[in-house]
Amino acid sequence: MIATAPSPTKLPQLRGMLERLEAPRYDHQRTVLSTGVTAVDRLLPQRGLQSGMLVEWVADGPGSGASLLPVAALKNLQHTGGAIVVIDREGHFYPPAASAWGIDLQHTIVIRPTTEADELWAIDQALRSPDVAAVLAWPERIDSFTFRRLQLAAEASGAIGLLVRPKRAQQEPSWAAARLLVSPLPSSANVTEWEESNPPDCWKLNVSVLRSRRGRPGQSVELEVDEQTGNIHEAIQHPTTDRLPARAGRLATQLAHRASHEQTA
Amino acid sequence: MLAVWLPNWPIERLTSKQPELRGQPLLLENTASRGQRVVACSPEAREFGVQPGMPVAEATAISTLQAVRLTHDAEADRRALEKLADWCHRFSPTVGIEDTDTLLLDATNLAPLYGGEGPLVEQISQGLTRLGLTAHVALADNIAAAWALAHYPGSGTTRLAPVGESIAAVVSLPLAALRLDDITIETLGRLGIESVEEVLALPRSELASRFGPELLTRIHQLLGDQAEVIRAVAHSERLTTQWLLEPPLTKWTHINKILQQLLRRLAHLLAARDAGALQLTCHLECQASDDVSFDVRLFRPTADAAHLMEIVALRSERLLLTSPVTAVKVHVAKYAPLARQQRVLFERESHWQHSTGVAALVDRLAGRLGAEAVVQCRVQHEAQAEFAYTEQSLVGNLTARKKSTAKPPTAKLAPLDRPLHFFAKPQRVETLSFLHEGPPIRFTHGGQQYVVAHHRGPERIETGWWRRRGIRRDYYRVETTTGRRFWLFRCLRRQKWYLHGAYE
């Protein structure tokens, strides 16, 4: 039988079937917690972090702020009675910074495996434990078989897995409930080479959905991280940015030129 | 009940302490009221006809004998015997001393841990032989029978009386096997009673009046009608078990089974003391190459054999053995009283550190990854970024769970003050800046060139001149033209730029 493309009317039906097959059982019975940012909650299936869920945060290059959002989310998750487990193979986790984000280090266990195999084993073990509230890790590569095992482990115990991935992981298959891409945005339209301007009062990040169990991929939201308080909220479109449209056009091409210059392979 | 008779204890104690005396004719003498007498002599001296109890003058008269004569030190013998009794604690939790040369071990419930009564006796016998001691080991239903069988072993160095057959094994022995005093034995001998069997045949009712109460007591003890208690030697702090392998083993599955058995025994010993292990050392003696040993540390004191087996297995499966193993020893390096498990009403709200799930997870992680890989961090008030926090392993110590009493650092950091992605070793970057002490303009990292659009700083971090490797750094939080954020510093001493972290 020759396969033909399904008719447009059937697509929602097929999508629904896929969701039901992929979704864990007893979806509606599990508690859903906020990531701390309503805009990010909207991007996730179940509109928040449901217990037993794995979420991937893909870093769009170095210095992109991808770890920031899961760390901020841990602040909400740490007081549910379970432990927070951080699996730091490369030794990049910096406790003073985590503490500044509101993580209670007394409730946190930091694991430092040395090999990738040990790292994935540790993530699996931590996700399996019923007394663990959330697991934060930076796995570089996860093969499909292991990923499925991690998803099942989280589902069984109710632990939430927050996995920060490198950019090239976009090509890899995923068993997470959602895969979000975090990209940095330049703070202002002023991008001449060297200008003694005041530093901005917030850091702009763009979060877009690459893959999600529910909801459409392609959804994105722009966030602002306040410099003083660390408060993260959705960027409000300022009407003042439309003040100089001509200059904006020229600057936009300059931006694009520079961005492609710095684009990681 | 197990009895261990060391027939030549005074001599063997000396030869194990001073190996140069081994193989020589040795006399131990003491000064009694009737002149100097030989208390003990080595087998080499015996060949010349010397006997214990013989006057020293007679012994020295043997012209062909070139004996070393030393004073007998009964106190030292006793102390050393106590140490040996303590050594025997690796086999049984209760060990006592009888006379000057016999040890008694409580063997109840021990046999299953050794795979049978035979292996138990074998292991003890081998262990003592390895220490360089001659010992006669006997196992019987009660102390009296065990003592008798140990002192009259017949052929071989070990004797095992199967359950219920102790009396039958003992009946043919002479009267001295009943631990009677000389006068009683002489009196009975004049009556024609020479063996235990004949004594047992006598009517019991008259024995007490004719021979004193002791004979009746001994008979009852032998028959099991009267209980006899071991006066136990106090435990020293060591908790050790061992298994000597004759012949040496090479297969890992077999060695693993032995490790499991040893852990079961340790759990038994720990439970008897109401204590749990916090740190174990497993030691494998190899025939040809160096000994292999590894440590296992635990989150909470535990006496659960199954849990110990699981954690040890995680560590032992990564060992590489290059030659056959001749002995396996497991020693409890640290232990603590077992925590009383309190029932918590609302388990969800209880602190996770009291939960068994997390304890098991931590033990498993530390078991496979090592104790230093499972830590808890604490922030400390310290200017230099690398030292602004401390780590402490969660396993192997009880202090890990004390509530932090340190004052929080006075300078509260804003979330973006420090990067989440930190390089413990700052990375050198090529940077261009306009002014000599000014902020960076461009820098290269990971093969990419970045142009700085905004910066925050400099934040001057200096450590005092009294630090041996003090630092003087100006830190900048930079945002590039594409919005990426990094944490750079200029080392003021060397005038070089480094990347210390990235905001990702």
Side-chain angles (χ1 to χ4, degrees), chain A residues 261-262, chain B residues 442-451:
Chain A
H261 204 52
E262 287 188 16
Chain B
R442 293 173 187 270
F443 65 96
T444 316
H445 166 61
Q448 287 292 317
Q449 211 194 52
Y450 298 99
V451 179

Side-chain angles (χ1 to χ4, degrees), chain B residues 116-180:
Chain B
E117 292 183 339
L120 169 62
V121 172
E122 272 306 311
Q123 284 287 311
I124 297 177
S125 181
Q126 269 178 40
L128 291 165
T129 312
R130 278 214 194 178
L131 287 178
L133 300 170
T134 324
H136 295 292
V137 185
L139 179 69
D141 290 339
N142 54 50
I143 296 176
W147 193 97
L149 289 172
H151 281 255
Y152 295 89
S155 60
T157 51
T158 63
R159 277 198 76 170
L160 218 175
V163 178
E165 292 174 42
S166 303
I167 315 290
V170 170
V171 287
S172 50
L173 298 177
L175 283 178
L178 280 181
R179 294 177 286 170
L180 299 167

Side-chain angles (χ1 to χ4, degrees), chain B residues 12-220:
Chain B
E12 286 184 342
R13 175 185 73 80
L14 279 173
T15 52
S16 66
K17 210 174 72 164
Q18 294 164 279
E20 66 271 12
L21 292 172
R22 214 168 281 173
Q24 291 187 36
L26 195 56
L27 288 183
L28 287 178
E29 53 195 35
N30 76 338
T31 316
S33 55
R34 287 180 284 170
Q36 289 179 315
R37 286 194 173 265
V38 173
V39 174
C41 58
S42 65
E44 292 78 20
R46 244 182 255 261
E47 283 171 26
F48 285 87
V50 181
Q51 294 283 331
M54 181 189 274
V56 173
E58 204 179 315
T60 48
I62 303 170
S63 55
T64 44
L65 177 61
Q66 295 290 322
V68 180
R69 290 166 54 180
L70 294 166
T71 324
H72 175 228
D73 188 351
E75 259 309 303
D77 279 350
R78 175 84 193 175
R79 279 199 301 271
L81 193 61
E82 277 170 13
K83 268 207 200 138
L84 185 66
D86 189 48
W87 180 90
C88 288
H89 276 135
R90 64 193 60 198
F91 299 110
S92 164
T94 313
V95 179
I97 300 180
E98 178 100 354
D99 306 329
T100 54
D101 54 11
T102 310
L103 293 174
L104 298 170
L105 284 80
D106 187 347
T108 28
N109 294 328
L110 277 188
L113 296 171
Y114 286 79
E117 292 183 339
L120 169 62
V121 172
E122 272 306 311
Q123 284 287 311
I124 297 177
S125 181
Q126 269 178 40
L128 291 165
T129 312
R130 278 214 194 178
L131 287 178
L133 300 170
T134 324
H136 295 292
V137 185
L139 179 69
D141 290 339
N142 54 50
I143 296 176
W147 193 97
L149 289 172
H151 281 255
Y152 295 89
S155 60
T157 51
T158 63
R159 277 198 76 170
L160 218 175
V163 178
E165 292 174 42
S166 303
I167 315 290
V170 170
V171 287
S172 50
L173 298 177
L175 283 178
L178 280 181
R179 294 177 286 170
L180 299 167
D181 58 281
D182 295 335
I183 303 171
T184 316
I185 295 177
E186 211 184 308
T187 319
L188 285 167
R190 274 191 264 120
L191 292 173
I193 298 167
E194 300 272 336
S195 76
V196 174
E197 195 173 4
E198 290 163 7
V199 153
L200 289 176
L202 290 173
R204 306 270 164 79
S205 45
E206 296 172 359
L207 286 175
S209 50
R210 289 194 70 178
F211 298 99
E214 204 208 332
L215 177 57
L216 201 55
T217 312
R218 291 298 188 204
I219 292 176
H220 282 307

Side-chain angles (χ1 to χ4, degrees), chain A residues 59-69 71 80-85 90-101 105-115 117-119 121-123 125-126 128-132 138 164 184-188 190-205 225-231 255 258-259 261-265, chain B residues 299 310 314 318 347-353 355-359 361-362 364-369 372-380 383-391 394 400-405 412-424 427 434-435 439-442 445 448-456 477 479-487 502-504:
Chain A
D60 189 5
S64 57
S67 304
L68 209 148
L69 292 168
V71 167
T80 54
I84 305 281
V85 179
E90 294 186 358
H92 291 318
F93 178 67
Y94 192 44
S99 179
W101 277 103
L105 292 175
Q106 291 235 314
H107 283 262
T108 312
I109 305 173
V110 179
I111 318 282
R112 297 198 196 271
T114 42
T115 64
D118 279 347
E119 180 187 31
W121 176 83
I123 298 174
Q125 289 294 308
R128 248 166 235 289
S129 174
D131 298 303
V132 166
W138 290 263
V164 183
L185 292 173
S187 54
S188 63
N190 236 337
V191 281
T192 44
E193 274 264 347
W194 178 243
E195 212 173 287
E196 204 51 60
S197 58
N198 286 331
D201 55 359
C202 65
W203 187 16
K204 287 213 173 81
L205 298 173
V225 184
D226 190 285
E227 290 282 350
Q228 305 299 326
T229 61
N231 211 354
L255 248 180
R258 206 148 305 212
H261 204 52
E262 287 188 16
Q263 197 70 304
T264 45
Chain B
F299 184 53
E310 191 198 343
L314 277 169
R318 297 185 143 194
E347 277 183 357
R348 279 202 56 130
E349 280 146 36
S350 72
H351 199 245
W352 58 262
Q353 280 169 357
S355 78
T356 45
V358 171
L361 171 68
V362 169
R364 232 176 291 130
L365 289 168
R368 174 160 160 168
L369 307 173
E372 298 313 309
V374 183
V375 298
Q376 201 163 43
C377 299
R378 197 182 294 173
V379 171
Q380 57 181 20
Q384 192 166 351
E386 296 95 307
F387 305 136
Y389 67 99
T390 53
E391 283 181 7
L394 271 177
R401 288 171 293 293
K402 254 197 255 170
K403 231 183 139 44
S404 164
T405 48
K412 191 120 182 23
L413 293 170
L416 286 177
D417 277 347
R418 294 286 178 268
L420 278 170
H421 191 103
F422 183 71
F423 302 114
Q427 299 183 356
F434 268 147
L435 307 166
I441 303 162
R442 293 173 187 270
H445 166 61
Q448 287 292 317
Q449 211 194 52
Y450 298 99
V451 179
V452 174
H454 304 287
H455 68 274
R456 275 191 153 71
R477 282 163 48 187
E479 183 178 314
T480 68
T481 44
T482 48
R484 295 175 193 281
R485 293 215 174 185
F486 298 91
W487 205 42
Y503 285 82
E504 64 185 70

